[in-house]
Amino acid sequence: MIYEKALCFLDMPSIKNKDLCTRIQGENINISCLEDKFLKAKFYKCEIASLSFVLALLCKMSDENTFKDLDEGYLSAESCFGEEEASDTLNFLKMAKYLIIDKNIDLYKDNENIKYFLNFLSEKFKLKIIDTNEKECNFENAKLHSLKELDNYDGLVLFKADLEDNNLHCSKQFLQISKCKDRSEVEILAKDFNLKTTLCLDENLQGTIGFLNHENFGFDFTQIRIKEAK
C-alpha cells in the first residue's frame, strides 16, 4: 500500500523500516530529531524524545479552549519545534490522511499523553493512525495527564540502527567530543549496558548522535559516555 499525505513521527525509517519508507510517497511531513534524506517528506526538526511536547503544541494551537492550560511558548522552546512549523503542520493536516508512528510507542516516556494527543488529532482531522508495522491504532481510551518533563539528551547519544556492521557510525563532531579517533576501539558506557565497538567516521552524519546496531530492548536513543578500550 502507498501512503500519501501523511504526518510522520519517524526516526530514520530508511534504516529501521525500509519497506514502509519506500511506500511513503507524494506530499508528507516528518517531525524527528534526525533528518532522513531518503524519506519523501518535508522535514521539521525537534529535540530527541520530545514527541509529547510536539503533539501537545499541535493540539494546543488547533484548539485553544480545550488545551487552555498548556503554554505554547514553553512547549515550543522545550521541544525546539517552532510555532511557525506547527502552524504549517496544522494546515497540512486539513488535507492529510494518516498519522504514522513508531510501533514501539509504549517504550516512549509519557506514552499515555502521546496516545491521547494522537487520538485528538486523529478525530479532529479525520486521520488514520498507522504504526510502522502498518497496523491501524486506536487510542480512544487514552487519558490526558500532566505532561512529564522531557529528559536531557545533552552530550553523546546512541541511536539503535539496523546497520550491516557492528561499528559505531558517527560524525566529526561526535569524534571531537568523545576525544577519540576514527577506527578507535572504544567502550560505550550507558545506564543499562556497556559494550565495545569500533568508531567509524561517516562524513554524511552531523551532530552528537551515533548509529550502532546493538541489542537494546528499550527506547532507541540512549545517553552514553565513551572511552578508549583497554
Side-chain angles (χ1 to χ4, degrees):
M1 182 172 178
I2 299 297
Y3 297 97
E4 295 183 89
K5 296 184 173 62
L7 172 57
C8 308
F9 303 96
L10 304 176
D11 300 314
M12 299 305 296
S14 66
I15 294 176
K16 299 187 72 68
N17 311 99
K18 294 179 182 178
D19 185 48
L20 173 61
C21 184
T22 62
R23 288 185 288 108
I24 296 175
Q25 302 284 339
E27 188 178 356
N28 309 285
I29 290 176
N30 189 42
I31 303 173
S32 170
C33 61
L34 292 167
E35 183 174 8
D36 190 335
K37 294 181 180 177
F38 295 99
L39 175 65
K40 290 183 174 65
K42 187 175 185 178
F43 173 66
Y44 287 140
K45 188 177 179 65
C46 66
E47 285 289 342
I48 300 170
S50 64
L51 180 56
S52 59
F53 277 42
V54 168
L55 289 169
L57 178 61
L58 292 172
C59 289
K60 165 72 174 186
M61 291 179 60
S62 71
D63 191 330
E64 292 277 347
N65 291 327
T66 300
F67 299 100
K68 59 181 179 294
D69 292 335
L70 296 177
D71 183 335
E72 56 264 53
Y74 171 72
L75 295 170
S76 177
E78 290 294 303
S79 65
C80 290
F81 180 57
E83 292 180 50
E84 185 177 337
E85 286 85 353
S87 180
D88 288 345
T89 302
L90 289 171
N91 285 331
F92 171 77
L93 287 182
K94 294 173 184 176
M95 65 172 185
K97 296 179 181 179
Y98 303 100
L99 298 170
I100 304 182
I101 61 168
D102 186 357
K103 65 181 179 182
N104 295 317
I105 202 73
D106 285 328
L107 297 176
Y108 285 48
K109 182 179 179 179
D110 217 1
N111 60 73
E112 185 72 7
N113 278 333
I114 289 172
K115 292 174 183 178
Y116 179 88
F117 294 137
L118 286 167
N119 184 68
F120 179 85
L121 293 173
S122 170
E123 291 185 347
K124 184 176 181 68
F125 293 99
K126 298 178 174 54
L127 309 167
K128 285 186 178 181
I129 305 173
I130 306 292
D131 71 13
T132 45
N133 279 338
E134 297 181 62
K135 292 181 179 177
E136 189 168 350
C137 303
N138 183 338
F139 298 140
E140 63 182 15
N141 294 323
K143 299 290 190 294
L144 180 63
H145 303 279
S146 296
L147 279 170
K148 296 179 181 178
E149 292 295 315
L150 299 181
D151 291 332
N152 186 329
Y153 281 89
D154 289 344
L156 299 178
V157 176
L158 192 65
F159 175 64
K160 180 184 176 183
D162 302 324
L163 304 175
E164 296 180 356
D165 60 42
N166 294 314
N167 297 329
L168 196 168
H169 295 251
C170 62
S171 67
K172 285 183 178 178
Q173 183 184 0
F174 189 103
L175 289 177
Q176 290 168 351
I177 294 173
S178 69
K179 298 179 181 177
C180 296
K181 296 179 180 179
D182 184 27
R183 296 296 169 182
S184 296
E185 297 289 327
V186 297
E187 184 175 2
I188 296 173
L189 309 173
K191 180 180 178 182
D192 298 319
F193 63 87
N194 292 356
L195 57 86
K196 291 184 178 180
T197 185
T198 301
L199 292 180
C200 180
L201 173 63
D202 186 333
E203 298 285 358
N204 294 315
L205 294 180
Q206 297 178 338
T208 58
I209 301 174
F211 290 45
L212 180 68
N213 188 356
H214 69 109
E215 291 293 333
N216 172 23
F217 300 104
F219 188 54
D220 283 341
F221 295 90
T222 307
Q223 272 193 301
I224 58 170
R225 293 183 295 113
I226 285 183
K227 65 178 183 179
E228 293 220 21
K230 295 180 179 179

